[in-house]
């Protein structure tokens, strides 16, 4: 869910009211736009880290450190990947990143902010949405996670991010983790591997109910035969 | 004793040590009857012990706040019980347990629980924590070092009792104590504490210290002023008492069960009011440990959302890490093994049997496998209970070999019937456990209008649509008098509305106020008023006598008295109903059990309330001043 956080617009820094999520979407969208163009003009589907600094984010000024942090996060979530081609550092939009982008654009809570927006950007959005309408079951799933080790790294990255962003105090809802991971892992693998993480004392799964008791959130939590529902994950401090 | 496996299986069939034993009741905290594995979640109990060590050795002269968080059934209360027994064994502190906050203001409840806890046995056999402190006060002022038992036996009733009281000279002793303890402001509090050493007055003194009302005669006999019935006074008194206590021993005050979602009249939950109380205590006291136990979500959603939360968080969770609660962990395979082994060991020892294996009838693999799910203590015990039942049910089946079709149906019926009986037995075990808890504090419950009216309301709500004593009950409604409700129904087709008022007040003014409302049939739209009260009235209370006369003779109302056993069962039934999830029981199972045992329909109070009024006072009243 994207927060339309138009809360405080600071005069010196007009972009400070943009949430990280919004900035991420704009960034992914720009990456998508450029890679579509590059596809025709060259063989690259990526974008150089340098050109990023110019193109980037709808011409809004975003502090360098914040931008770096956002890119780092997108990388750790496997939404973009960095490759080195001909001594140039290129960022690529992954299939998972594209799927994520489509999902976010389809979210009813997403609006473009501001008054003017570029034609090419809008066309990219249209292309994306059309490709998704015509071919809806094929939301790209090529970034399948097939091993417990990769799963564990991904889950912890998502856990840390959600915990920080939503200030969960180390009670991160399992349904949110499952939804963030999306189709990269099958439901059964998710259940199995999350329990494995618990058995390895990385996470403890706890809390038998969710605040609003919503059925879909319960379904996206974990259920075991003896323990019943577990709705939250908590990172264990290993001593 | 060595038995063969068949004999052990027979024992297993007839006795299930896990049935109805999954909740730690508060009397078990005091008595240590709930099996504990001290290594489970010992980081939490150790935190308390090390804080205690720091305070007792003078390295930390202050108030320490510790909050433990963990899911339902994870073993919070068990850790608290462990702390209680550590303090008792090591003689290293005073244990105060606070739970059950229902009814009045949380500050008044706190004072009550404080005084009740102090009435429990401390480190010396048969000596209450109050008596211990009373002795320390006297000894310090007189420079002597006598044991509490010496004082208690000195005051035990005998022909020269009055003379001994006089010779002991309370006034002079209190003056001397005040000289040594210049920090104490209220001499009556000292007197109240000292009076706990006199067996005849001990119970009254504890009630007085708890801020509970006493009869005029009781107050005069002990020469104590009436209690002031307001929350602010209650809190001040609690702080003063803790100040007196903490000079000699460190109080460890445990606030348990803070997770209720109910809100008080100002819209606040317990998780708001109790931590605020903790903050105030922390500001007022010089030496104590405050322990809070709650669900992780209560901490995250309620405490952290309090206004000026840092001020509260820093005080209720400042050890071992500032601002962080101590989280309890779910059990892994090895811990489950330990837990089950401890329970089975107690069971086999009780029956004087050597099992073929300490884990019999479980297997190590089976239990270790449960550990993968990381269960709570309660889930493990429930699972043991289920497995135990499955063993006994299946063995039943195998005892009836099936030969032809006719026997199949017969046998299935038998098994279903047998299973129904067993389920009723399980409910009975759970009920018995609740009843034990109720009986352990029945003296206090006899004075608790709220608990009694709640139990009655619970019974009558269940009876809606049924007929008892020819009275057809139609509906139950609240009534705007303290501790009252209305029963609508018909008796021989005559519509009747009974106003039921529980009024166990010792104070005649409070009783008079209730009676005045109860006889006002027009205002409350009643056809009959029913006073539920087990105590007689003071002879001198003329206003009350007049109102009673109006109720019984002019208005055709009723006064129903009762004994402890008349309320204990229905209170226990209500508790069982409210805790049914923890016992793994359904509503149907409970109602089935209640109707089988006729707990509600044959209850003396229920029947008396519905029956036609005899027009006279009951003859089984108790005289509160009889012992004076």
């Amino acid at each position: 869910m994207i927060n339309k956080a138009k809360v405080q617009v600071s005069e010196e820094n007009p972009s400070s009211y943009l949430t990280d999520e919004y900035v991420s979407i704009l960034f992914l969208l720009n990456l998508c736009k450029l890679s579509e163009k590059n596809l025709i003009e060259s063989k690259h589907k990526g974008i150089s880290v340098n050109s990023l600094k110019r193109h980037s984010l709808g011409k809004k000024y975003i502090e360098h450190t914040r931008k770096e942090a956002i890119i780092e996060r997108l990388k750790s979530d496997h939404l973009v990947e960095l490759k080195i081609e001909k001594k140039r550092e290129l960022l690529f939009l992954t299939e998972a990143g594209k799927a994520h982008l489509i999902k976010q654009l389809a979210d009813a809570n997403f609006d473009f902010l501001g008054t003017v927006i570029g034609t090419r950007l809008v066309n990219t959005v249209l292309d994306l949405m059309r490709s998704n309408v015509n071919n809806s079951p094929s939301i790209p799933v090529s970034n399948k996670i097939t091993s417990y080790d990769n799963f564990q790294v991904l889950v912890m990255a998502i856990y840390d991010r959600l915990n920080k962003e939503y200030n969960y105090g180390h009670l991160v809802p399992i349904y949110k983790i499952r939804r963030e991971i999306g189709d990269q892992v099958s439901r059964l693998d998710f259940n199995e591997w999350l329990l494995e993480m618990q058995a390895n004392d990385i996470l403890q799964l706890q809390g038998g109910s969710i605040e609003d008791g919503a059925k879909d959130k319960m379904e996206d939590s974990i259920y075991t035969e003896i323990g019943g529902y577990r709705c939250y994950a908590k990172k264990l401090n290993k001593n | 004793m060595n038995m063969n496996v068949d004999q052990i299986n027979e024992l297993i069939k007839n006795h299930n040590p896990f049935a109805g034993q999954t909740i730690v009741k508060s009397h078990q905290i005091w008595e240590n009857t709930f099996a504990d594995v001290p290594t489970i979640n010992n980081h939490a109990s150790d935190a308390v012990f090390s804080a205690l060590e720091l305070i007792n050795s003078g390295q930390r002269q202050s108030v320490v706040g510790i909050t433990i968080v963990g899911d339902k059934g994870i073993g919070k209360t068990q850790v608290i019980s462990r702390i209680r027994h550590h303090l008792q064994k090591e003689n290293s502190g005073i244990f105060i347990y606070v739970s059950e906050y229902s009814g009045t203001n949380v500050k008044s409840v706190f004072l009550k629980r404080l005084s009740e806890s102090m009435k429990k046995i401390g480190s010396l056999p048969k000596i209450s924590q109050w008596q211990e402190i009373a002795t320390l006060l006297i000894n310090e002022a007189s420079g002597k070092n006598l044991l509490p038992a010496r004082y208690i036996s000195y005051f035990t009733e005998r022909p020269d009792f009055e003379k001994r009281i006089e010779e002991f000279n309370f006034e002079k002793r209190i003056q001397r104590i005040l000289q040594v303890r210049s920090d104490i402001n209220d001499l009556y509090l000292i007197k109240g504490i000292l009076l706990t050493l006199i067996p005849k007055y001990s119970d009254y003194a504890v009630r007085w210290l708890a801020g509970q009302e006493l009869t005029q005669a009781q107050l005069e006999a002990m020469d104590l002023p009436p209690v002031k019935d307001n929350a602010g006074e209650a809190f001040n008194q609690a702080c003063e008492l803790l100040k007196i206590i903490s000079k000699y021993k460190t109080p460890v005050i445990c606030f348990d069960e803070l997770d209720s979602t109910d809100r008080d009249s100002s819209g606040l939950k317990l998780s708001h009011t109790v931590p605020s109380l903790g903050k105030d205590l922390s500001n007022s006291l010089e030496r104590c440990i405050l322990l809070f136990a709650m669900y992780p979500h209560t901490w995250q959603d309620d405490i952290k959302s309090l206004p000026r939360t840092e001020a509260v968080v820093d005080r209720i969770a400042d050890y071992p890490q500032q601002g962080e609660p101590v989280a309890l962990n779910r059990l892994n395979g090895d811990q489950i093994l330990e837990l089950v082994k401890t329970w089975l060991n107690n069971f086999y020892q009780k029956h004087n049997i050597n099992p073929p294996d300490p884990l019999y009838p479980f297997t190590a693999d089976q239990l270790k496998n449960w550990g993968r799910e990381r269960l709570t203590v309660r889930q493990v015990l429930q699972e043991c209970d289920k497995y135990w039942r499955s063993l006994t049910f299946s063995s039943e089946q195998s005892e009836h070999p099936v030969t032809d079709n006719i026997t199949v149906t017969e046998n299935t019926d038998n098994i279903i019937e047998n299973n129904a009986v067993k389920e009723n037995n399980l409910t009975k075990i759970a009920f018995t456990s609740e009843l034990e808890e109720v009986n352990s504090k029945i003296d206090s419950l006899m004075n608790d209008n709220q608990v009694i009216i709640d139990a009655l309301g619970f019974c009558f709500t269940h009876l809606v649509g049924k007929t008892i004593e020819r009275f057809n009950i139609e509906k139950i409604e609240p009534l705007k008098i303290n501790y009252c409700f209305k029963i609508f129904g018909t008796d021989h087709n005559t519509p009747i509305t009974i106003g039921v008022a529980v009024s166990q007040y010792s104070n005649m003014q409070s009783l008079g106020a209730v009676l005045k409302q109860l006889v006002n049939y027009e205002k409350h739209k009643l056809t009959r008023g029913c006073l539920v009260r087990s105590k007689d009235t003071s002879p001198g209370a003329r206003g009350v006598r007049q109102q009673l006369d109006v109720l019984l003779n002019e208005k055709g109302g009723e006064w129903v008295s009762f004994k402890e056993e008349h309320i204990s069962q229905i209170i226990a039934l209500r508790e069982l109903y409210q805790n049914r999830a923890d016992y793994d029981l359904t509503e149907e199972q409970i109602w089935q059990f209640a109707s089988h045992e006729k707990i509600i329909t044959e209850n003396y109070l229920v029947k008396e309330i519905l029956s036609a009024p005899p027009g006279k006072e009951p003859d089984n009243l108790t005289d509160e001043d009889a012992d004076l």
Side-chain angles (χ1 to χ4, degrees), chain A residues 4-215:
Chain A
K4 284 184 271 179
K6 305 174 193 173
V7 202
Q8 288 169 318
V9 182
S10 122
E11 283 299 315
E12 312 94 83
N13 188 359
S15 70
S16 66
Y17 67 98
L18 297 172
T19 62
D20 279 4
E21 287 87 346
Y22 184 79
V23 174
S24 307
I25 291 173
L26 273 199
F27 173 71
L28 290 175
L29 198 52
N30 276 292
L31 196 58
C32 186
K33 180 182 80 181
L34 289 166
S35 57
E36 292 298 317
K37 186 192 75 177
N38 285 356
L39 186 65
I40 307 162
E41 289 171 359
S42 76
K43 280 182 179 126
H44 302 306
K45 266 190 168 182
I47 176 169
S48 82
V49 176
N50 279 339
S51 70
L52 248 181
K53 285 172 188 160
R54 282 177 282 116
H55 279 293
S56 76
L57 308 159
K59 298 194 175 65
K60 293 256 164 20
Y61 173 77
I62 306 279
E63 304 93 324
H64 183 66
T65 50
R66 189 170 165 212
K67 187 154 71 184
E68 294 278 293
I70 290 172
I71 291 170
E72 274 312 307
R73 219 193 55 214
L74 291 172
K75 276 202 292 202
S76 68
D77 288 355
H78 305 278
L79 300 179
V80 298
E81 57 185 330
L82 185 75
K83 285 184 189 166
I84 298 177
E85 285 187 12
K86 294 180 183 162
K87 292 183 183 169
R88 285 203 307 164
E89 285 188 320
L90 294 179
L91 274 176
F92 290 83
L93 184 67
T94 65
E95 289 297 295
K98 198 170 164 188
H100 178 76
L101 185 55
I102 291 171
K103 195 172 132 210
Q104 297 288 40
L105 289 171
D107 191 319
N109 284 308
F110 176 80
D111 280 339
F112 282 107
L113 305 176
T115 46
V116 182
I117 198 153
T119 314
R120 277 211 337 236
L121 196 70
V122 176
N123 282 332
T124 312
V125 174
L126 286 176
D127 281 345
L128 271 173
M129 297 323 272
R130 283 179 198 131
S131 76
N132 198 37
V133 171
N134 298 336
N135 199 8
S136 48
S138 77
I139 289 178
V141 286
S142 63
N143 226 40
K144 275 274 185 201
I145 289 171
T146 50
S147 77
Y148 167 75
D149 288 339
N150 290 345
F151 175 81
Q152 179 200 323
V153 172
L154 180 59
V155 164
M156 289 324 290
I158 293 175
Y159 174 99
D160 286 334
R161 177 164 60 77
L162 290 174
N163 185 46
K164 204 169 145 206
E165 279 179 5
Y166 293 89
N167 201 13
Y168 280 135
H170 287 285
L171 279 181
V172 178
I174 292 172
Y175 80 90
K176 282 226 171 197
I177 301 179
R178 192 194 288 271
R179 289 176 189 184
E180 287 280 334
I181 289 182
D183 288 342
Q184 297 173 79
V185 175
S186 76
R187 292 185 71 84
L188 290 180
D189 279 350
F190 181 89
N191 297 350
E192 184 57 31
W193 284 338
L194 208 61
L195 283 170
E196 180 74 28
M197 285 177 76
Q198 173 170 261
N200 292 332
D201 288 328
I202 300 166
L203 289 175
Q204 185 166 267
L205 312 180
Q206 58 183 50
S209 62
I210 214 129
E211 207 174 349
D212 61 0
K215 194 164 166 268

Side-chain angles (χ1 to χ4, degrees), chain A residues 167-169 171 192 195-196 198-201 204-207 211 224-228 230 232 234 236, chain B residues 69 71 74 296-297 300-301 304 327-332 370-376 379-380 383 386:
Chain A
N167 201 13
Y168 280 135
L171 279 181
E192 184 57 31
L195 283 170
E196 180 74 28
Q198 173 170 261
N200 292 332
D201 288 328
Q204 185 166 267
L205 312 180
Q206 58 183 50
E211 207 174 349
T224 64
E225 205 176 319
I226 305 175
R230 306 289 177 82
Y232 297 88
K234 177 189 191 315
L236 290 179
Chain B
V69 296
D71 278 349
I74 205 166
H297 261 282
Q300 188 61 20
D301 297 346
K304 299 272 265 252
L328 298 192
N329 291 323
R330 287 162 168 265
L331 307 186
N332 63 28
W370 294 355
R372 203 178 131 75
E373 291 191 24
R374 293 289 189 276
L375 302 176
T376 64
Q379 282 169 339
V380 171
E383 199 56 25
K386 267 188 217 155

